[in-house]
Amino acid sequence: MITYLLKPGELTLKGGNRENFEGILKRNLMKMLRVYQARVEIRSGRFFVYCPEEDSAGVEEALGRLMGISGWARTRQCEKTGAAVLAAVAEEGKKLREAGLRTFKIEARRTDKSFPLDSYGIRCAGGNAVLEAVPGLTVDVKNPQGIINVEIREKAYIYGNTRRGLQGLPLGTAGRGLLLLSGGIDSPVAGFMMASRGMGIDAVYFHAWPYTSEEARQKVIRLAEIVGRYTLGIRLHTVGFTGVQKRIKERAPLPWTTVLLRMAMMECAEKIALAAKAKCLITGESLSQVASQTIENLICTQSRIKLPVLRPLIGTDKDSIIRKAEAIGTYTTSILPYEDCCVLFSPPHPVLRGSAEEAGKLYESLEAGPLIQEALAAAAVEKCGFPE
Ligand code: ATP
Ligand code: MG
């Protein structure tokens, strides 16, 4: 049996809410691990996962997708005797050396005060045990290449090689938001970022079939699947927006078309969000990245709705967004070359600083309400990304 020790992230900061947060994290963890023969236990603020060796690769991969843990490690468990602990520490030292490390230090924590060595004593004796057993390793307390951790609790836990978790807060501790998910680079990252603050995610994609292809839709489904692997799935609404786009093309001045389309998307998304009990909309907009994302145009875009629009990437530059997209695994899908739903019009000289008043007038002249209702009535919903 393998044991993993998990350190919850900001959970420790949450005072009275802590048990609630722990319960949610445990539930998420069990859902993520349900295809494995794994068992989860919480003991005094630490999470333990037990699984057979053959499931360990899958379990480790899943731990890498769990929001709300700051780190985790495969740990040895042993009896709380000095000899057993020092032997286990020496074994961990061997593993560090095998991995090519040359310097280490010991960190020790003792919640069971009846253990004969205090944490300083454990550090000294553990360090000596490693130095004796593992040639080639030396102590460096300031800047070690590896750390061997010793925790004396109900049992003794000894582990090196702590892996960094996704950080953030457990999914489901911050309500639900509706992500406007296009096939681009930004919006999947935006959804991931809100999820990492604990927000559950639904998504909506507007397509303009037959002007946009089935491949473009499949690409968005794929993106929802990838993000959904971190968010215990995503319910994806697909809304056909060809009628709305055609109306915009017929009635609106060309420079305004993109902003008006965004306004219509927001109106439609708000209706879906309210029905799905989502508390906000989420977009991948980033200030001044394109003409429709100047501060004036962002104000126009949200001017017809009441729900707040969260834009986690608003102050993030494109390079950082791309790096984040690579890290979460959406980038290679996002850059597949399928047209997005704006193919019906891309004005050569879009309005750059639209006034909200003018936007409102133009929007009303579209009389888009019934078209939006029609689109909603024909919308499709599917669950992406979970179960696997
Ligand atoms: P992205 O990479 O997310 O597509 P972008 O830089 O291409 O962003 P825009 O195309 O201007 O920006 O879109 C701005 C935001 O509007 C997107 O991040 C997304 O949240 C939303 N959006 C755009 N097109 C669609 C669509 N077809 N369906 C759903 N949401 C969309
Ligand atoms: Mg886009």
Side-chain angles (χ1 to χ4, degrees):
M1 216 46 151
I2 312 280
T3 305
Y4 295 96
L5 189 157
L6 281 54
K7 298 184 185 181
E10 288 175 49
L11 218 75
T12 43
L13 302 177
K14 295 294 165 189
N17 255 336
R18 178 173 176 147
E19 274 180 19
N20 187 21
F21 272 53
E22 278 184 355
I24 292 175
L25 182 56
K26 183 174 183 188
R27 202 182 60 207
N28 294 346
L29 183 54
M30 289 189 340
K31 277 190 194 160
M32 281 209 166
L33 298 180
R34 74 176 165 204
V35 291
Y36 304 110
Q37 281 186 297
R39 197 160 55 78
V40 179
E41 227 174 64
I42 310 178
R43 278 194 249 122
S44 47
R46 287 277 197 264
F47 279 63
F48 292 88
V49 174
Y50 307 92
C51 73
E53 174 68 52
E54 68 262 27
D55 281 347
S56 62
V59 167
E60 290 180 18
E61 191 273 332
L63 292 178
R65 290 188 274 118
L66 182 68
M67 305 285 187
I69 53 173
S70 66
W72 54 274
R74 191 189 264 233
T75 180
R76 291 168 199 275
Q77 276 184 60
C78 69
E79 292 310 312
K80 285 187 285 188
T81 64
V85 167
L86 295 181
V89 168
E91 284 302 313
E92 276 306 320
K94 276 183 199 151
K95 283 183 68 184
L96 293 188
R97 186 68 198 100
E98 279 162 20
L101 276 56
R102 301 192 152 276
T103 59
F104 77 103
K105 77 169 174 180
I106 310 263
E107 275 181 6
R109 193 166 307 141
R110 184 182 64 148
T111 55
D112 174 1
K113 303 292 179 202
S114 70
F115 189 71
L117 295 168
D118 64 7
S119 49
Y120 177 74
I122 297 168
R123 288 201 296 273
C124 296
N128 287 332
V130 173
L131 291 176
E132 264 172 40
V134 193
L137 265 188
T138 55
V139 175
D140 181 346
V141 289
K142 285 228 177 78
N143 199 11
Q145 293 173 332
I147 295 177
I148 301 171
N149 295 272
V150 179
E151 297 194 13
I152 310 292
R153 300 170 169 273
E154 330 65 49
K155 287 190 175 166
Y157 300 97
I158 294 91
Y159 54 96
N161 188 25
T162 306
R163 311 265 292 270
R164 198 177 144 81
L166 279 183
Q167 319 293 318
L169 296 165
L171 194 88
T173 55
R176 174 166 292 283
L178 179 69
L179 171 68
L180 280 77
L181 180 63
S182 70
I185 296 168
D186 305 326
S187 45
V189 175
F192 176 90
M193 287 183 70
M194 293 319 301
S196 75
R197 298 309 299 166
M199 184 168 273
I201 302 291
D202 285 349
V204 56
Y205 164 58
F206 298 98
H207 74 150
W209 196 83
Y211 299 94
T212 56
S213 60
E214 173 60 19
E215 284 90 339
R217 193 178 77 91
Q218 288 302 329
K219 170 181 165 180
V220 173
I221 291 174
R222 181 73 197 117
L223 289 172
E225 281 169 356
I226 299 169
V227 179
R229 284 169 54 73
Y230 300 92
T231 64
L232 300 170
I234 285 188
R235 243 178 328 153
L236 175 67
H237 301 256
T238 300
V239 180
F241 237 39
T242 313
V244 175
Q245 294 209 41
K246 283 188 165 159
R247 176 66 60 82
I248 293 172
K249 196 172 168 147
E250 282 158 24
R251 295 198 185 172
L254 192 58
W256 273 93
T257 46
T258 308
V259 171
L260 292 169
L261 174 60
R262 294 280 179 269
M263 291 169 74
M265 285 182 180
M266 293 271 170
E267 182 181 338
C268 185
E270 182 179 58
K271 291 188 191 329
I272 295 172
L274 291 173
K277 297 205 164 48
K279 295 183 196 327
C280 60
L281 304 183
I282 302 164
T283 74
E285 290 159 321
S286 173
L287 191 61
S288 302
Q289 193 192 78
V290 289
S292 57
Q293 296 173 26
T294 61
I295 182 62
E296 290 82 1
N297 287 348
L298 291 177
I299 291 169
C300 292
T301 301
Q302 72 183 53
S303 62
R304 308 285 297 190
I305 63 168
K306 292 211 172 68
L307 277 188
V309 182
L310 302 187
R311 302 180 171 93
L313 302 176
I314 194 70
T316 311
D317 57 62
K318 195 79 190 189
D319 279 351
S320 312
I321 298 172
I322 288 174
R323 262 181 277 126
K324 188 91 187 162
E326 286 170 339
I328 65 185
T330 51
Y331 183 70
T332 48
T333 302
S334 285
I335 58 174
L336 294 174
Y338 302 116
E339 67 291 330
D340 77 13
C341 79
C342 309
V343 284
L344 266 167
F345 36 73
S346 43
H349 301 293
V351 57
L352 281 181
R353 305 192 186 287
S355 96
E357 203 194 337
E358 196 178 351
K361 283 189 192 138
L362 290 170
Y363 190 75
E364 276 178 14
S365 75
L366 297 176
E367 299 170 292
L371 295 175
I372 289 176
Q373 288 301 352
E374 237 172 77
L376 276 173
V381 190
E382 64 213 290
K383 178 108 187 237
C384 303
F386 204 85
E388 297 167 337

